[in-house]
Amino acid sequence: MLDITDRILAIRQYVDDGVAAAIEQLIREAPDTRLNRINPLAFALSHKLDERECVAAFLHATQLGLFELSWNVVCASCGGVLQACESLRAINQARYRCALCAVNCEPNLDESVEITFTVDHRVRKIEAHSPESLSLWPYVRQVFWSSGSDLPDDLSDVAREAVLDAVEVAPGERVVRQIQMSEGLAVLFDPVTHSSQSLEVTGAPSADPQQITVHIDDTRLQTAMHRLAPGVLNLVLENNTSRRVMPILWSVGEALKHMVERHIPVLTAKRLLTHQTFRDLYRTNVLDVNQRFKITNLTFLFTDLKGSTELYERIGDLAAFDLVRSHFQIAEEIVSRKGGAIVKTIGDAIMATFPNPVQGIAAALEIREAVNRLNRRNNRQELLLKIGIHSGPCLAVSMNDRQDYFGQTVNIASRVENIASPDAILVTSSSADDAEAHDFIRRQGAAPSSFLANLRGIDREIRVYSVPS
């Protein structure tokens, strides 16, 4: 094992000591299965640590060569990993097909792309670094299913109720399996090639053995349904690939449904892109210039200083610059602490994103209070901050060599900030009507009023809530 002491010390510069200590213990003592496709949210929960701190720690550890970061396209139905990539740029298909579930999956950053971390092979060699050496069930658990699948490390007992047969077939090998088939549906799925065959068993039992021959190749095809009667099936499996394959005959029923529906929260690509540490460490090359990824809901916060030109004229460039810089530092610290990220600054304005509305509203209230304290400390109302918040769908894109966002949601959020005044935060109904955000505003003792706003360039009225100081 590579000596990791100095690298853990480096991580301690950025995160809580308890988080760094937990990661060090993980690397040194955890079994191999716990070091493959680590779910940082589950790690935080199991160690009673802050999620944001844990994500930051794993990101710094990745930069220091302790872990490898993976972007995994995941089937929303079964939780299977359809593609594992070293970067978001490598996800280049408009849609993916899950052969086990027979459903299509469009990569969106809210749900279908998860982020995991695997220990670097130079730090510690684990079984998953050589997946071809894993036996059938360890392979299925560690390579096919995602970090959001709530399954035990040892799948054999859990899977037994849902599996009719499972076998490893060497390259070029032909095997025959004799299986007793009962009425119902079954799917023959190979997790290596992601190919499948469907079987419908119905009608009167057959007295004679039936036979199906399956040629497994690398085309990831799902063929038409095979129909047969209950009784003995001679299943002929031919491996036409250069790899070992592991076809599993699943009985499609309650046992399989219960197994694949068990999910736990994961670090989504959307959440990672709105993490300040990620934006700081991965400033460029996150997306290819031609890529467009959908996000179904993201919260945008825009701020701007009112009268900043007059401020420079009134108190001088140096004093004004120090004040404006203090405002940026305040905003960045609060946005990061509330789980968001600064996307960019435009003059004296800020554009930030958050995974959900309540985080954006909480950050806005705290930023406003911090700026008010700064004004009181200077005994002058020099910084007059306008804030607007809006949530909705958007596209994650690459613009000007950085990861950015595009769409009408961004435009509306910017326009809402334009009509805001320093004495109230403006929040659109798409953010304020979120149940968690609504409860949060109520707990703050605020009594927002609402109105219909006509925003420049928007052809419909937008309901906006004014949250007063």
Side-chain angles (χ1 to χ4, degrees), residues 169-184:
V169 186
E173 186 179 10
R174 180 179 186 272
V175 301
V176 180
R177 308 289 289 183
Q178 193 170 79
I179 308 163
Q180 182 67 42
M181 302 296 295
S182 301
E183 193 166 28

Side-chain angles (χ1 to χ4, degrees), residues 6-8 10-11 14 59-67 123:
D6 289 343
R7 301 181 194 206
I8 295 295
I11 295 172
Y14 304 104
L59 288 171
H60 283 293
T62 299
Q63 290 284 295
L64 291 165
L66 296 176
F67 293 96
V123 175

Side-chain angles (χ1 to χ4, degrees), residues 136-138 140-141 145 151-164 166 250 255-256 258-259 262:
L136 192 149
W137 289 116
V140 175
R141 181 64 187 96
W145 264 300
L151 298 169
D153 291 338
D154 184 355
L155 266 185
S156 54
D157 288 339
V158 176
R160 189 172 293 122
E161 295 181 23
V163 172
L164 300 174
W250 295 93
L256 178 59
H258 176 70
M259 180 179 167
R262 296 166 56 178

Side-chain angles (χ1 to χ4, degrees), residues 142-206:
Q142 296 187 54
V143 178
F144 177 69
W145 264 300
S146 71
S147 73
S149 298
D150 188 17
L151 298 169
D153 291 338
D154 184 355
L155 266 185
S156 54
D157 288 339
V158 176
R160 189 172 293 122
E161 295 181 23
V163 172
L164 300 174
D165 193 36
V167 63
E168 297 186 25
V169 186
E173 186 179 10
R174 180 179 186 272
V175 301
V176 180
R177 308 289 289 183
Q178 193 170 79
I179 308 163
Q180 182 67 42
M181 302 296 295
S182 301
E183 193 166 28
L185 295 174
V187 58
L188 180 71
F189 172 70
D190 172 43
V192 178
T193 61
H194 287 250
S195 59
S196 69
Q197 306 269 329
S198 297
L199 288 75
E200 181 183 21
V201 185
T202 185
S206 172

Side-chain angles (χ1 to χ4, degrees), residues 318-439:
L318 185 59
F321 175 76
D322 286 341
L323 269 178
V324 172
R325 184 178 59 180
S326 296
H327 140 261
F328 281 132
Q329 291 171 341
I330 287 169
E332 182 170 346
E333 188 277 326
I334 293 172
V335 166
S336 177
R337 181 157 42 81
K338 293 300 181 182
I342 303 290
V343 177
K344 58 188 173 184
T345 59
I346 312 162
D348 299 327
I350 289 172
M351 172 184 171
T353 56
F354 297 85
N356 56 61
V358 70
Q359 291 172 293
I361 294 170
L365 291 170
E366 195 166 327
I367 290 170
R368 182 176 66 181
E369 178 55 34
V371 169
N372 288 341
R373 284 198 304 270
L374 185 61
N375 284 329
R376 289 194 295 269
R377 189 166 68 239
N378 295 326
N379 294 317
R380 298 175 69 175
Q381 288 292 109
E382 300 288 12
L383 294 176
L384 302 176
L385 191 65
K386 304 191 301 174
I387 303 177
I389 298 174
H390 178 60
S391 303
C394 64
L395 295 176
V397 299
S398 178
M399 298 179 68
N400 301 318
D401 295 324
R402 66 161 52 192
Q403 190 264 311
D404 206 336
Y405 299 94
F406 179 83
Q408 192 73 317
T409 296
V410 183
N411 297 333
I412 291 174
S414 176
R415 301 291 190 270
V416 169
E417 177 271 310
N418 286 341
I419 66 170
S421 63
D423 58 356
I425 297 168
L426 295 189
V427 184
T428 66
S429 58
S430 67
S431 298
D433 290 346
D434 173 82
E436 191 176 359
H438 178 81
D439 289 344

Side-chain angles (χ1 to χ4, degrees), residues 90-328:
I91 300 175
N92 53 18
Q93 293 180 222
R95 70 174 190 175
Y96 290 78
R97 179 80 174 170
C98 179
L100 177 59
C101 300
V103 297
N104 292 326
C105 168
E106 179 185 4
N108 70 69
L109 303 188
D110 303 72
E111 301 169 347
S112 59
V113 180
E114 68 162 19
I115 310 302
T116 59
F117 299 86
T118 298
V119 70
D120 191 284
H121 69 278
R122 296 164 297 183
V123 175
R124 179 174 158 187
K125 182 71 174 175
I126 61 172
E127 293 176 337
H129 288 146
S130 303
E132 68 282 354
S133 67
L134 291 169
S135 59
L136 192 149
W137 289 116
Y139 180 96
V140 175
R141 181 64 187 96
Q142 296 187 54
V143 178
F144 177 69
W145 264 300
S146 71
S147 73
S149 298
D150 188 17
L151 298 169
D153 291 338
D154 184 355
L155 266 185
S156 54
D157 288 339
V158 176
R160 189 172 293 122
E161 295 181 23
V163 172
L164 300 174
D165 193 36
V167 63
E168 297 186 25
V169 186
E173 186 179 10
R174 180 179 186 272
V175 301
V176 180
R177 308 289 289 183
Q178 193 170 79
I179 308 163
Q180 182 67 42
M181 302 296 295
S182 301
E183 193 166 28
L185 295 174
V187 58
L188 180 71
F189 172 70
D190 172 43
V192 178
T193 61
H194 287 250
S195 59
S196 69
Q197 306 269 329
S198 297
L199 288 75
E200 181 183 21
V201 185
T202 185
S206 172
D208 300 320
Q210 304 160 96
Q211 180 170 307
I212 294 175
T213 300
V214 175
H215 304 275
I216 301 174
D217 54 33
D218 287 312
T219 57
R220 290 194 173 210
L221 290 179
Q222 180 190 5
T223 63
M225 180 83 71
H226 297 278
R227 289 179 172 81
L228 62 151
V232 174
L233 169 65
N234 289 327
L235 182 61
V236 182
L237 302 167
E238 293 188 1
N239 181 2
N240 296 329
T241 77
S242 59
R243 305 177 279 173
R244 171 198 58 168
V245 297
M246 292 177 278
I248 304 168
L249 186 60
W250 295 93
S251 174
V252 179
E254 287 302 315
L256 178 59
K257 180 182 177 182
H258 176 70
M259 180 179 167
V260 301
E261 286 182 345
R262 296 166 56 178
H263 298 303
I264 59 175
V266 300
L267 177 61
T268 62
K270 164 185 158 178
R271 184 164 177 179
L272 185 68
L273 294 180
T274 55
H275 196 290
Q276 191 64 54
T277 299
F278 177 79
R279 294 197 69 95
D280 291 343
L281 295 177
Y282 296 80
R283 292 181 180 274
T284 59
N285 297 324
V286 176
L287 286 165
D288 184 86
V289 68
N290 295 315
Q291 285 180 301
R292 308 285 187 270
F293 281 105
K294 291 182 180 179
I295 298 179
T296 57
N297 196 277
L298 192 65
T299 296
F300 290 87
L301 179 150
F302 278 82
T303 75
D304 197 10
L305 290 175
K306 181 180 181 180
S308 58
T309 302
E310 292 82 355
L311 175 66
Y312 280 85
E313 182 70 26
R314 189 169 60 253
I315 68 175
D317 289 348
L318 185 59
F321 175 76
D322 286 341
L323 269 178
V324 172
R325 184 178 59 180
S326 296
H327 140 261
F328 281 132

